[in-house]
Amino acid sequence: DDVGFIDAMLKGVKSPKPEVNTLCADCCKAVSAISTTSKVRKWILAEYAKSNAQKERTLFLDCLDEELKAPDLQPPFEADDVEALCKGAGKEVNDENKLKVYKVIAKMCLRFPSLPRDSATALLSTSVRSPPSKMSASQSTILKAQLDGLCTLSPSLDDLKPSLLKIIESGEGKSTAQLESVIALRL
């Protein structure tokens, strides 16, 4: 079945041969995009939340992204899918994957507006509400992705976005208490 196939392909992703990695990863993404049951998605989300291997985690996010691109996505994503993704995202340490997961979360909630957004909003808002006092370029990029995702989930923040971007781009991350309390109120 599809889950067994992806499981087998995952072993290929760990191969030391780059051409085998790529082929197996492409097969996983193709199956995700055309799967007509939620079984593959549930498995991918559960594995993403468990896995500590960066290559696997990247592939799981790519699979979810491919699925979200499908024009006729059936069955729709459910509340526990968002919870599982946010749980996995909370332990993400790789910068590139952080960018991916924030985009996938925003895309998922935008595609299915009835999904509960509390976990996603909490995950995306933590750093935006109190940015670190000194930021590297990659931290700044990740924070901007979080801000984009947050504005997608909470359009009421759109008018604050320029002020928040200015704080992020300054690299100092000293958000005023007033701005932070406004964000808290609107969320």
Side-chain angles (χ1 to χ4, degrees), residues 5-36:
F5 178 77
I6 288 191
D7 202 18
M9 290 297 105
L10 263 184
K11 293 179 176 69
V13 171
K14 295 172 186 173
S15 163
K17 297 180 178 173
E19 64 276 17
V20 176
N21 294 167
T22 307
L23 177 64
C24 291
D26 287 347
C27 287
C28 289
K29 286 184 264 188
V31 170
S32 290
I34 60 171
S35 180
T36 52

Side-chain angles (χ1 to χ4, degrees), residues 113-133:
S114 62
L115 287 173
R117 299 180 172 206
D118 291 357
S119 295
T121 303
L123 177 78
L124 292 169
S125 71
T126 314
S127 304
V128 174
R129 281 165 65 169
S130 50
S133 53

